Amino acid sequence: MSEETRSRILEAGAELIHQRGFNNTGLKDILKAADVPKGSFYFYFDNKEAFGIELVDFMRQRFAEIVLPLVADTSISPLERLHAFFDFFIAHFASQGFTRGCPFGNLAQEMSDLSEPFRAKLEEALNGLAKTFTTLLVEAEECGEIPADLNLEETAIFMVQAWHGAIIRMKVTKEASPLILCKKTIFERLLK
Amino acid sequence: MSEETRSRILEAGAELIHQRGFNNTGLKDILKAADVPKGSFYFYFDNKEAFGIELVDFMRQRFAEIVLPLVADTSISPLERLHAFFDFFIAHFASQGFTRGCPFGNLAQEMSDLSEPFRAKLEEALNGLAKTFTTLLVEAEECGEIPADLNLEETAIFMVQAWHGAIIRMKVTKEASPLILCKKTIFERLLK
């Protein structure tokens, strides 16, 4: 048992499940992609559900590595950082041909009804993103960049929701326009 | 071969796939639920993908049977009909313990990257809902119920997106609040 092998399985699982969905991805394929012998999965994880739940934390860590530098870049204003967040992910999805979408949104849709521990873990993940938005909105309000009478927590939650819905339409249309419309509506209608 | 058997397979498939997802539902289970002999699936459908694509049309027809009366109820104003649409589905999701979600949004998320004909069919379905909203918004504008300077098509598409995203959060939180927040934001922020 090595931590490195364990990480390799998580890495391969994150990639394949993001492409194909959780139930549509076999452990066999994940182990093959990770170049790990077939039988060894259960040395590392209790079962596929436990693996999936741990995968959410693994993905959150990778997500934080991307997002925290964007959000903490005080060389630009809070609202500019929010712009940078959306622009980063619009470019990211474009680079993938508008496939895959948000790994947390995907699992939330697929797994929330099928596994209670999975659901609880995904609720944490979605709340984490809302919290990131709330933090930026609080700073933006302090700078006078957004109206003073907004309910910032509700606005942040709505932004996460609208973004996840935009990603669903993006996967269907294979275009940036749903994401751009979402960003535009947030900045021009909700935060003005 | 009978049309009635064919419908029974579609009915059972719609139910199980809505609960569990497309890839997570076996043909065997659908046929069992439909009380149809195992071997007979291929008398009715070429393969599971073709079945799924036909299922989208089947579900659109059922959806239209619910939505058209709401949308065409001229005893109330266009904006009141839009309220009725959201209130109907909030009550509907509540009656199901905030599980399942939108069958079109679910399949859009799950299948758009995995099958091009499925993606194209789901794009039609999502555009259909946007068109329903657009029609109501056009009437609402004519009655002076909403501002005259809105881009109605874009607003309708954003409404569908935001609703699908709200449904994802609803599945995770198992509460009405994401749906209520979505409705409130649409009516109090976008349509004012």
Side-chain angles (χ1 to χ4, degrees), chain A residues 7 10 22 42 51 65 91 94 96 104 111 120 130 132 136 151 157 168 174 178-179 187:
Chain A
S7 292
L10 286 164
F22 187 77
Y42 295 98
F51 169 70
E65 285 163 17
Q96 299 190 326
F104 306 109
M111 297 307 298
T132 302
L136 278 179
N151 181 326
I157 289 172
I168 286 182
K174 299 291 177 225
L179 308 175
F187 283 96

Side-chain angles (χ1 to χ4, degrees), chain A:
Chain A
M1 282 187 48
S2 81
E3 268 312 301
E4 192 269 333
T5 306
R6 189 188 170 77
S7 292
R8 226 162 59 226
I9 299 173
L10 286 164
E11 187 76 45
E15 177 66 18
L16 290 180
I17 288 166
H18 200 186
Q19 283 174 32
R20 308 177 188 171
F22 187 77
N23 290 309
N24 195 36
T25 305
L27 290 181
K28 218 176 69 179
D29 293 332
I30 296 174
L31 295 174
K32 197 180 163 195
D35 200 17
V36 171
K38 257 194 203 181
S40 61
F41 179 83
Y42 295 98
F43 287 114
Y44 296 98
F45 306 98
D46 284 347
N47 51 47
K48 194 182 175 190
E49 183 190 46
F51 169 70
I53 291 165
E54 207 167 306
L55 196 63
V56 177
D57 280 331
F58 177 79
M59 296 187 312
R60 282 187 76 180
Q61 207 177 320
R62 294 206 313 181
F63 184 75
E65 285 163 17
I66 296 169
V67 167
L68 290 188
L70 287 173
V71 168
D73 177 10
T74 51
S75 74
I76 55 177
S77 82
L79 210 59
E80 284 168 336
R81 278 175 261 155
L82 204 55
H83 273 283
F85 174 95
F86 286 106
D87 291 341
F88 174 87
F89 282 101
I90 292 172
H92 172 74
F93 287 130
S95 77
Q96 299 190 326
F98 305 109
T99 61
R100 302 187 188 195
C102 170
F104 306 109
N106 291 355
L107 289 173
Q109 192 282 109
E110 184 181 3
M111 297 307 298
S112 292
D113 289 354
L114 306 180
S115 157
E116 170 54 28
F118 226 131
R119 185 207 63 73
K121 180 57 81 176
L122 289 161
E123 187 170 12
E124 274 178 39
L126 262 54
N127 286 342
L129 179 52
K131 213 165 189 171
T132 302
F133 282 159
T134 305
T135 305
L136 278 179
L137 292 179
V138 167
E139 290 185 54
E141 194 188 61
E142 283 166 1
C143 301
E145 283 187 298
I146 58 173
D149 61 348
L150 285 178
N151 181 326
L152 301 185
E153 262 184 51
E154 270 192 8
T155 305
I157 289 172
F158 182 82
M159 282 163 57
V160 176
Q161 295 184 178
W163 186 239
H164 278 142
I167 289 169
I168 286 182
R169 189 171 167 88
M170 165 205 93
K171 287 182 80 169
V172 160
T173 62
K174 299 291 177 225
E175 294 171 342
S177 58
L179 308 175
I180 293 169
L181 173 60
C182 180
K183 188 190 162 195
K184 190 178 90 166
T185 307
I186 287 171
F187 283 96
E188 295 183 9
R189 304 298 307 277
L190 300 182
L191 301 179
K192 267 203 178 159

Side-chain angles (χ1 to χ4, degrees), chain B residues 68-186:
Chain B
L68 290 188
L70 287 172
V71 167
D73 177 9
T74 50
S75 74
I76 56 177
S77 82
L79 211 60
E80 283 167 337
R81 278 174 261 157
L82 205 54
H83 273 282
F85 174 95
F86 286 106
D87 291 341
F88 175 87
F89 282 101
I90 292 171
H92 172 74
F93 288 129
S95 77
Q96 300 190 325
F98 306 109
T99 61
R100 304 186 187 196
C102 170
F104 306 107
N106 292 355
L107 288 173
Q109 192 282 109
E110 185 181 4
M111 297 308 297
S112 292
D113 289 355
L114 306 180
S115 156
E116 170 53 28
F118 226 130
R119 184 207 63 72
K121 180 57 80 176
L122 289 161
E123 186 170 11
E124 274 178 40
L126 263 54
N127 286 341
L129 180 52
K131 212 163 189 172
T132 302
F133 283 158
T134 305
T135 305
L136 279 179
L137 292 179
V138 167
E139 289 185 54
E141 193 188 62
E142 283 167 0
C143 301
E145 283 187 298
I146 58 174
D149 62 348
L150 285 179
N151 181 326
L152 300 184
E153 261 184 52
E154 270 192 9
T155 304
I157 289 172
F158 182 82
M159 282 164 56
V160 176
Q161 295 184 179
W163 185 239
H164 278 143
I167 289 170
I168 286 182
R169 189 171 168 88
M170 166 205 92
K171 286 182 80 169
V172 160
T173 62
K174 300 290 177 226
E175 294 171 341
S177 59
L179 308 176
I180 293 168
L181 173 61
C182 180
K183 187 189 163 196
K184 190 177 91 165
T185 307
I186 287 171

